[in-house]
Amino acid sequence: MDLDYFFQLFLGGMTRGSIYALIALGYTMVYGIIKLINFAHGEIYMIGAFTALIIVGALGMTGLNPVLIFLIAGVIAVLTSAGYGVTIERIAYKPLRNAPRLSALISAIGMSLFLQNYVLLAQTSNFLPFPTLIPEFKFLANAGGIISSTQIIILATTALVMVVLTLLIKFTRIGKAMRATSQDRQMAQLVGIGINKVIAFTFVIGSFTAALGGVLICSHIGQINFYIGFIAGIKAFVAAVLGGIGSIPGAVLGSFVLGLTESFGTGYISSDYEDVFAFLFLVLILTIRPSGILGREKKAKV
Amino acid sequence: MAAILDASQVTMDFGGLRAVNNADVHIDQGEIVALIGPNGAGKTTFFNVITGVYKPTTGDVRITAPGKETESITGLKPNKITEKGLARTFQNIRLFQNMTVLENVMIGRHCRMKAGIAGAVFRDRKTREEEEQVVADSYAILKKIGLETFVNELAKNLPYGAQRRLEIARAMATEPFLLLLDEPAAGMNPHETRELDEMILKIRATEKISILLIEHDMSLVMSISDRIYVMDYGLLIAEGQPKEVRANPAVIKAYLGEEFNA
Amino acid sequence: MVTLKQIRNSVLIALWMMILTFPIMVIKVNTIENIVIWRWMNLLYIGVGTVILSIFWFFLINRRKLEPEERKRSFALKGKIETLKGVLAKPVVQKPLYAALLVIIIIFPFVSSLYQTGIMITALMYVILGLGLNIVVGLGGLLHLGYAAFYAVGAYTYALLHRYLGLSFWVCLPIGALSAMLLGILVGLPVLRLRGDYLAIVTLAFGEIVRILLENLSQYTGGPAGISGIPRPSFFGIKMSLSTAMNYTYFLTFALVLFTIFVVRRLEHSRLGRSWVAMREDEVASEAMGIDITRAKLSSFALGALWAGLAGVFFSAKTTFVNPASFTLWESVIILCVVVLGGIGSIKGVVLGAIVIILLPEYLRAFSQYRMLFFGLILVMMMIFRPGGFIPAKRRVYTFDKAQLEESD
């Protein structure tokens, strides 16, 4: 077996997994709190990527340092996307908080459709190339093309986000409020937690990480269009479910498992069936463990 | 004659928690038996074990339906157990909210009906007759329970007390020989409780149904039960007729407390 | 009424929206040719548009909070609509109405263009799909996001059986339906014990697997290009001109719609149908009432698949061409929208839903660019302001005649 090839696939899988994880976090947190499959979440990721592309394009003329441009674009994209996240929640989900779950899901599907077409109409349906802004690190010259500097940045950013998020949820006031709300919304409200604030905050965090994923992926893959959010969203959702939806470590684990499965599947078997591997794997896992890898089986209280 | 329900050495563990500990409960034909105990004592869990919602960790539940052989129902699915003649109500009302009152009762008749897909589509004479019979039977049950005026109302629009009674009607529609009532009087006012009291006695008298009930309303429990089991921390700590239980020091200590003594 | 506070809020919301949409609405970049266009006018449109829309929004939200009785009073037109509904519900009015509708449906293909007939056939096919999915989602309460896969199975069954064995439409119709149902059972057995959202994602995954397989098994399925040259339905081997063939397909589809309505109605008011609804309402309680949940789930899933298969065979025959692009996730989503927008669990609702969803975008071709945008928006608005759909489902009312009442005494 060719070890270099193996490592290349492994790192490719980890990179993919990182991006899935950044998106899946939003899915899983929103699900944990309001039990909604936020179908429009993938579009947030797309909007993040597009905004970054637009800012990069606009700043490209100024002749600033490429790394600085990338950072500015990233910050603006992530903030804007977080804004989109809360706005969507306010319009499409908040009025449906006590409605049947199916209604909220349809509303989310409608929102997804709306956002896709919004970007399509305001921008373009073509694939747009994302300029290379991150220079190759010098110390990677010896690595023989197994890993690129963008990949390193993606892996490091994801790791950082995970750590910060874990600390946030474990130790801060708002983190505790989030956990309480996801356990029992009514009870949380009774002990004085501002539910609306907590939910809005969840959307902010979720959209923030998703957009981060969007910014990173477009610098890695190099081109985007209005439709990327849909597939990525579905995959990330698969990852979240795989790990056990509602569980944050589950979402991360599920994402890496999914990323690696896809990477090795396409690398060793066939690239035609990339998506089939992901979905087959999901069906298989859920048949064995109906609540996902880390999900706990919930006994209905009778 | 064998007991119609004989649960022996039933234990139910949830992870490290022993919710029901080695419980022995038996019910004879025609009895009204109450299972009482403080909140969280494991009463509802015990119900769930008997009705198949949970599979007990150890122990055996046997039934002897009138005119039938004794058989074990341990580990059977809830719908199978209902078919065998045990029916229950729920502590937190679980009606089919968006179905009418009549349809709720008709669902209870489901396991006594036979029509399948072909019958539904072709609607042959047998299916039609069965369907008419079910409507008539269900209406008759509603009349017995005093809900006939609500017949076409959606279940969710019923007043609270009526919802509790509808649960009993729905359970009776399955033709049980043993009815398990999980806190039937919860949330009822004294007047409604008195009516319920009469209704339970009437059900036993006219339908030949034995009853096991979980209840916190002591006046109801004391007035209608033949025997009482007392459960605390998953253990049965006492068993006997109402007046025996009332006098039992262990019960007073564990559950009834000073308040009841006074 | 609109208060000053609401107007102030609307202005603030508009400002927020202007900031939020600034990058995407104002700047347009083309990174291939390195062109940046600044569209400042868009900012104005967003601002003004948001103020108007948000005032309208506040008005609707406030109205939603009112009790139905008050709402009727607050809106005179609504009262008139209610009276109109009452008149329409009378059998004396209803019968001629249905008759007139029937006449229109029959005359339609003879007076309209070939193109119009084609669209109408499509709409009718979505009626069938919607009613089929309604069995699963509306009655059974199982969230199914892979319905298009079963539709694809029906379509490809006919396409492949014709291509390799030369079988005709009429032979393939039952085979296609049955193979979809069989697949439904095979898939259903392992996955139906999953609850709610897990079921949704697994059905979604399954739908995508089927589509990708169709795309990649190109030696059999023709890959992304699909299979063409599938014959239209035959009528005792008589040669038909294109327009006659289309009209014939139209009437066949219409007949299938009638058949579907007939069967679904009967299923709904049967022992089986009731068990589905009970399962939707409360699984634990229905199991305690003696319903075999596995069986109820499997039967609704399989019957839903059966109808998708039937519609699939019709689809192949109508378009004479199939490819995997017709069976994407969006297809499943659109069918789900037909059910939910029309009125979940309501037959009339689903029929209306299908017709509106298919015909409206067709006739909005003038705004074709914007139609998906509006479609998305309408979905959101409907869920918020009219969650029961166009025609909400009603439970059956049983009447008891005197004899029956006395008998039961």
Side-chain angles (χ1 to χ4, degrees):
Chain A
M1 202 164 81
D2 186 348
L3 213 58
D4 269 7
Y5 186 53
F6 175 83
F7 274 118
Q8 211 176 333
L9 291 179
F10 177 76
L11 288 169
M14 291 299 281
T15 314
R16 231 180 236 259
S18 300
I19 300 294
Y20 290 156
L22 288 172
I23 311 173
L25 280 173
Y27 267 120
T28 224
M29 286 196 304
V30 166
Y31 188 88
I33 290 208
I34 55 171
K35 302 283 172 288
L36 163 76
I37 303 178
N38 181 7
F39 238 85
H41 190 61
E43 314 315 333
I44 297 285
Y45 155 89
M46 179 269 292
I47 285 177
F50 240 103
T51 310
L53 180 93
I54 290 166
I55 304 293
V56 165
L59 291 181
M61 316 291 171
T62 58
L64 281 170
N65 178 344
V67 177
L68 192 63
I69 291 183
F70 183 71
L71 285 178
I72 294 173
V75 169
I76 293 179
V78 165
L79 292 178
T80 318
S81 304
Y84 274 97
V86 264
T87 311
I88 291 166
E89 197 271 329
R90 265 304 181 80
I91 296 173
Y93 308 146
K94 196 175 166 214
L96 291 171
R97 221 169 267 166
N98 298 316
R101 306 258 304 272
L102 192 60
S103 303
L105 181 75
I106 298 284
S107 182
I109 290 173
M111 209 60 207
S112 167
L113 201 56
F114 176 81
L115 290 173
Q116 267 180 32
N117 285 280
Y118 156 69
V119 174
L120 166 72
L121 292 169
Q123 297 288 327
T124 169
S125 63
N126 298 326
F127 267 98
L128 289 176
F130 195 87
T132 327
L133 297 171
I134 300 169
E136 279 302 309
F137 296 144
K138 292 217 176 68
F139 65 87
L140 285 178
N142 305 327
I146 291 177
I147 188 166
S148 71
S149 53
T150 325
Q151 274 177 314
I152 289 187
I153 289 175
I154 290 175
L155 289 171
T157 313
T158 310
L160 187 70
V161 167
M162 301 299 144
V163 172
V164 171
L165 202 61
T166 313
L167 293 178
L168 180 93
I169 285 172
K170 275 234 161 102
F171 299 113
T172 62
R173 229 175 106 81
I174 185 85
K176 277 181 199 147
M178 283 167 77
R179 279 184 289 152
T181 310
S182 80
Q183 293 258 323
D184 188 332
R185 202 195 305 166
Q186 241 175 349
M187 198 58 219
Q189 208 156 13
L190 286 177
V191 298
I193 292 173
I195 301 298
N196 288 334
K197 223 187 250 173
V198 171
I199 293 174
F201 185 74
T202 310
F203 272 86
V204 168
I205 299 282
S207 310
F208 186 93
T209 57
L212 200 59
V215 175
L216 292 172
I217 196 69
C218 58
S219 56
H220 178 53
I221 296 193
Q223 58 170 4
I224 57 168
N225 79 343
F226 75 98
Y227 203 62
I228 56 165
F230 184 66
I231 293 293
I234 296 288
K235 292 282 188 63
F237 182 56
V238 166
V241 173
L242 203 58
I245 194 153
S247 142
I248 291 179
V252 177
L253 180 70
S255 303
F256 284 117
V257 167
L258 185 71
L260 291 172
T261 314
E262 282 187 357
S263 185
F264 285 120
T266 47
Y268 285 122
I269 306 173
S270 159
S271 63
D272 288 344
Y273 295 101
E274 183 188 322
D275 296 345
V276 173
F277 296 126
F279 292 132
L280 269 182
F281 197 66
L282 174 83
V283 175
L284 201 74
I285 292 281
L286 286 188
T287 321
I288 304 165
R289 280 192 62 92
S291 300
I293 303 172
L294 294 186
R296 239 173 286 154
E297 184 96 42
K298 252 196 226 137
K299 278 244 156 64
K301 185 150 168 55
V302 180
Chain B
M1 202 179 116
I4 56 165
L5 177 85
D6 182 9
S8 58
Q9 298 174 343
V10 169
T11 295
M12 184 74 219
D13 290 341
F14 293 110
L17 179 80
R18 180 150 290 186
V20 177
N21 191 354
N22 215 15
D24 286 297
V25 170
H26 70 95
I27 296 167
D28 291 324
Q29 172 63 37
E31 268 191 311
I32 295 181
V33 177
L35 178 60
I36 63 172
N39 282 326
K43 304 177 303 278
T44 297
T45 307
F46 181 73
F47 254 42
N48 286 342
V49 168
I50 292 179
T51 53
V53 178
Y54 301 145
K55 193 176 179 300
T57 314
T58 57
D60 195 19
V61 183
R62 283 184 305 277
I63 55 164
T64 313
K68 292 217 179 101
E69 293 290 302
T70 302
E71 58 183 323
S72 169
I73 55 167
T74 321
L76 285 186
K77 284 169 88 185
N79 56 308
K80 287 283 164 214
I81 291 176
T82 306
E83 258 173 54
K84 293 201 183 293
L86 270 64
R88 70 174 293 176
T89 65
F90 295 91
Q91 185 181 340
N92 43 345
I93 301 175
R94 300 191 80 128
L95 289 169
F96 305 118
Q97 300 282 348
N98 292 306
M99 296 175 93
T100 63
V101 168
L102 186 75
E103 283 175 319
N104 266 276
V105 181
M106 285 167 79
I107 289 290
R109 302 295 302 150
H110 180 91
C111 61
R112 306 292 169 220
M113 293 168 75
K114 293 194 180 61
I117 295 179
V121 176
F122 298 113
R123 208 171 277 182
D124 50 315
R125 220 188 67 199
K126 237 171 79 189
T127 312
R128 271 199 324 268
E129 282 172 2
E130 186 183 69
E131 197 67 14
E132 278 164 24
Q133 191 59 48
V134 162
V135 173
D137 289 351
S138 304
Y139 188 77
I141 293 170
L142 283 177
K143 221 164 176 187
K144 256 179 225 156
I145 303 288
L147 289 172
E148 73 271 22
T149 45
F150 294 118
V151 71
N152 282 318
E153 254 344 291
L154 289 188
K156 65 177 174 193
N157 297 337
L158 251 53
Y160 185 80
Q163 292 201 5
R164 285 244 171 251
R165 278 186 290 157
L166 177 56
E167 275 227 333
I168 297 177
R170 189 177 67 172
M172 278 170 59
T174 65
E175 292 179 17
F177 64 83
L178 174 64
L179 192 56
L180 298 106
L181 306 176
D182 196 345
E183 295 195 23
M188 283 188 172
N189 61 34
H191 174 70
E192 286 173 321
T193 309
R194 243 188 338 273
E195 278 182 356
L196 181 75
D197 182 333
E198 281 163 27
M199 198 173 88
I200 294 175
L201 289 171
K202 198 175 119 195
I203 290 171
R204 171 173 63 177
T206 57
E207 313 290 320
K208 309 267 179 301
I209 297 174
S210 316
I211 288 155
L212 172 62
L213 78 156
I214 295 176
E215 190 46 72
H216 282 301
D217 187 307
M218 281 308 131
S219 63
L220 178 75
V221 168
M222 292 299 165
S223 70
I224 65 169
S225 325
D226 299 317
R227 270 188 310 126
I228 296 174
Y229 286 93
V230 187
M231 196 178 240
D232 192 21
Y233 293 108
L235 265 173
L236 288 176
I237 56 168
E239 185 233 319
Q241 292 178 352
K243 57 174 186 281
E244 294 166 10
V245 168
R246 201 193 295 236
N248 189 321
V251 176
I252 294 167
K253 185 160 167 268
Y255 172 57
L256 300 174
E258 303 300 322
E259 188 193 344
F260 195 80
N261 228 356
Chain C
M1 273 299 93
V2 181
T3 60
L4 212 64
K5 199 179 147 215
Q6 282 173 353
I7 293 176
R8 200 200 60 194
N9 283 347
S10 300
V11 172
L12 289 178
I13 292 169
L15 276 175
W16 168 251
M17 285 303 213
M18 281 156 80
I19 298 170
L20 198 61
T21 55
F22 181 82
I24 289 181
M25 288 305 290
V26 176
I27 314 171
K28 181 168 182 167
V29 292
N30 186 332
T31 45
I32 306 171
E33 292 156 24
N34 273 323
I35 306 169
V36 180
I37 307 163
W38 297 79
R39 300 165 297 180
W40 294 102
M41 278 313 278
N42 280 352
L43 205 58
L44 187 70
Y45 300 149
I46 289 278
V48 174
T50 310
V51 170
I52 295 167
L53 283 178
S54 65
I55 287 174
F56 187 54
W57 171 270
F58 283 132
F59 170 72
L60 286 176
I61 287 274
N62 285 338
R63 231 170 63 77
R64 198 173 77 131
K65 284 184 196 138
L66 300 178
E67 290 298 309
E69 289 304 308
E70 293 175 50
R71 203 185 298 178
K72 227 178 269 172
R73 254 180 284 139
S74 79
F75 204 31
L77 185 65
K78 186 92 178 182
K80 278 177 196 142
I81 293 175
E82 292 299 323
T83 358
L84 188 66
K85 263 189 203 160
V87 173
L88 284 177
K90 281 183 190 150
V92 197
V93 185
Q94 256 187 347
K95 270 191 189 144
L97 215 63
Y98 276 123
L101 197 66
L102 192 71
V103 171
I104 293 172
I105 290 167
I106 291 171
I107 295 173
F108 181 81
F110 300 108
V111 296
S112 70
S113 71
L114 210 57
Y115 175 73
Q116 302 279 342
T117 312
I119 292 172
M120 204 41 118
I121 296 175
T122 310
L124 290 175
M125 261 171 353
Y126 277 87
V127 172
I128 299 165
L129 288 168
L131 288 171
L133 186 62
N134 187 40
I135 297 177
V136 188
V137 180
L139 300 179
L142 305 168
L143 188 45
H144 192 344
L145 290 178
Y147 199 60
F150 299 106
Y151 184 34
V153 168
Y156 269 87
T157 304
Y158 178 34
L160 292 170
L161 286 179
H162 174 262
R163 184 176 179 183
Y164 292 105
L165 302 173
L167 295 183
S168 76
F169 173 81
W170 290 109
V171 179
C172 291
L173 191 61
I175 300 178
L178 288 176
S179 30
M181 184 169 89
L182 203 66
L183 190 72
I185 293 171
L186 284 179
V187 175
L189 276 176
V191 306
L192 281 178
R193 66 196 186 102
L194 299 172
R195 307 182 80 94
D197 305 313
Y198 285 91
L199 183 67
I201 192 72
V202 167
T203 48
L204 182 152
F206 167 73
E208 286 298 282
I209 291 173
V210 168
R211 185 184 59 82
I212 298 164
L213 286 179
L214 290 175
E215 224 160 66
N216 287 302
L217 295 171
S218 31
Q219 60 270 47
Y220 309 109
T221 62
I227 299 170
S228 50
I230 305 163
R232 292 203 164 77
S234 55
F235 185 68
F236 299 111
I238 298 167
K239 270 260 176 232
M240 283 183 279
S241 71
L242 180 62
S243 71
T244 325
M246 275 298 258
N247 288 353
Y248 179 55
T249 313
Y250 171 87
F251 284 114
L252 277 183
T253 317
F254 181 59
L256 185 62
V257 168
L258 290 183
F259 175 69
T260 310
I261 293 176
F262 172 80
V263 172
V264 173
R265 266 184 75 110
R266 287 205 153 180
L267 281 174
E268 202 182 345
H269 300 297
S270 72
R271 173 176 179 257
L272 193 63
R274 275 196 304 272
S275 74
W276 291 335
V277 178
M279 164 174 87
R280 177 189 79 191
E281 293 291 309
D282 189 329
E283 275 191 30
V284 175
S286 43
E287 220 175 359
M289 290 303 116
I291 291 170
D292 186 340
I293 288 289
T294 319
R295 210 154 139 188
K297 277 189 182 175
L298 207 56
S299 57
S300 83
F301 203 67
L303 280 173
L306 180 87
W307 253 271
L310 278 178
V313 177
F314 268 79
F315 175 78
S316 289
K318 183 229 159 191
T319 54
T320 72
F321 162 74
V322 287
N323 74 346
S326 309
F327 309 104
T328 56
L329 175 58
W330 274 120
E331 195 63 26
S332 302
V333 168
I334 287 177
I335 304 168
L336 185 66
C337 292
V338 163
V339 177
V340 178
L341 281 192
I344 191 151
S346 137
I347 294 178
K348 277 182 203 161
V350 171
V351 173
L352 187 64
I355 291 176
V356 169
I357 285 185
I358 303 309
L359 295 191
L360 208 61
E362 285 300 334
Y363 293 112
L364 286 180
R365 279 231 178 260
F367 314 92
S368 64
Q369 275 189 309
Y370 297 98
R371 62 193 178 137
M372 292 314 263
L373 189 84
F374 283 123
F375 188 43
L377 209 57
I378 289 170
L379 283 182
V380 177
M381 294 298 131
M382 275 295 282
M383 286 303 104
I384 295 172
F385 299 111
R386 201 177 163 84
F390 299 137
I391 307 178
K394 277 209 188 90
R395 298 307 306 170
R396 182 171 184 177
V397 171
Y398 289 85
T399 47
F400 299 91
D401 51 40
K402 261 225 161 86
Q404 229 174 338
L405 293 184
E406 273 152 28
E407 191 189 323
S408 62
D409 264 324

